Amino acid sequence: MPEMIAGITIPGTALVRDATSLVRDAADDTIFHHSRRVFLWGMLKARARGMEVDPELAYVGGLFHDLGLTRAFRTTDRRFELDGAEAAYGFLRDHGRSEKEARDVWLAIALHTTPEVPMHLAPETAVVTLGVETDVLGFDLDQITDQQRAAVIAAHPRPDFKNRIIQAFYDGMADRPDTTFGTMNDDVLAHVDPSFRRENFVEIIRSNAWPE
């Protein structure tokens, strides 16, 4: 029987079971519970907005969105969002989903730290950003009822989550600092490591090889 949390049904399909098992094995409790909450918050907000979202695709987007921070899936030469996006794309294609469906989820994960843009793409892309902005940034919490919030947190607690997710971001990006240029992720490195030096977009323009 499918699981239901806060009125959101988690599909009882083989794809969802496989996604859960993969992420449960790869991620620690902080990332796993955060990722499940992202799915739930995103679906609640999508429902409130009248968005029609494929729940399996939304689930993989939510579950895989921080997979690039884990040791099993991270690289050292590209943004962590791309690591998770590539894993989700391959997973969905292996489970029979179309190229477009897999690409929409790829975009959901690749762009989940890029504000505003995902909201102009497919619902399966936007739903991940809705969930991330709720769980990490606390955006529009008034759109989640007290009962919904309590049900989600009971199923997926968030002890000391603010500090733990900052540390998880840092641990997943500290050895690839150049990949944070142009993103909000360099805020994390600068917060945890006072010696971190950010690249400056204006200085890159002013000091580049063009003579004028």
Side-chain angles (χ1 to χ4, degrees):
M1 185 175 181
E3 182 181 9
M4 182 174 288
I5 300 172
I8 299 299
T9 299
I10 298 173
T13 63
L15 183 151
V16 166
R17 289 193 298 272
D18 289 350
T20 304
S21 178
L22 184 153
V23 178
R24 177 74 278 190
D25 288 344
D28 64 12
D29 285 348
T30 296
I31 294 297
F32 177 75
H33 289 297
H34 162 58
S35 299
R36 291 263 292 193
R37 291 194 306 270
V38 163
F39 165 74
L40 294 164
W41 303 137
M43 291 297 284
L44 285 166
K45 286 192 171 177
R47 176 188 290 174
R49 287 162 169 75
M51 295 165 57
E52 293 290 333
V53 181
D54 183 310
E56 284 191 330
L57 298 182
Y59 190 80
V60 172
L63 265 284
F64 281 57
H65 84 278
D66 275 346
L67 205 57
L69 298 173
T70 68
R71 291 188 179 278
F73 287 89
R74 56 186 299 216
T75 65
T76 58
D77 60 352
R78 64 184 181 188
R79 290 174 54 169
F80 85 89
E81 302 96 327
L82 296 180
D83 294 336
E86 290 292 328
Y89 181 89
F91 176 88
L92 287 168
R93 295 294 280 146
D94 288 345
H95 282 75
R97 288 303 197 131
S98 71
E99 196 281 334
K100 181 186 184 303
E101 290 168 332
R103 181 58 58 183
D104 284 342
V105 176
W106 188 96
L107 287 168
I109 298 171
L111 294 175
H112 81 267
T113 59
T114 302
E116 196 173 348
V117 173
M119 302 309 300
H120 295 272
L121 300 174
E124 289 75 20
T125 301
V127 70
V128 175
T129 289
L130 286 172
V132 169
E133 289 181 345
T134 303
D135 205 52
V136 178
L137 303 177
F139 286 0
D140 300 320
L141 286 180
D142 60 328
Q143 297 176 10
I144 306 290
T145 69
D146 290 343
Q147 293 80 5
Q148 290 168 338
R149 192 185 308 186
V152 172
I153 298 304
H156 297 290
R158 37 179 294 152
D160 196 30
F161 177 69
K162 293 178 181 180
N163 290 319
R164 290 185 181 187
I165 196 61
I166 289 171
Q167 190 63 48
F169 289 149
Y170 179 79
D171 291 343
M173 296 184 290
D175 60 353
R176 46 178 160 176
D178 291 346
T179 69
T180 67
F181 173 65
T183 79
M184 63 185 69
N185 297 323
D186 61 359
D187 291 338
V188 174
L189 299 188
H191 172 77
V192 178
D193 179 7
S195 68
F196 173 67
R197 181 183 177 278
R198 301 172 191 250
E199 293 292 341
N200 184 294
F201 181 58
V202 173
E203 287 306 311
I204 291 173
I205 294 173
R206 291 175 60 87
S207 63
N208 72 43
W210 284 105
E212 77 279 0

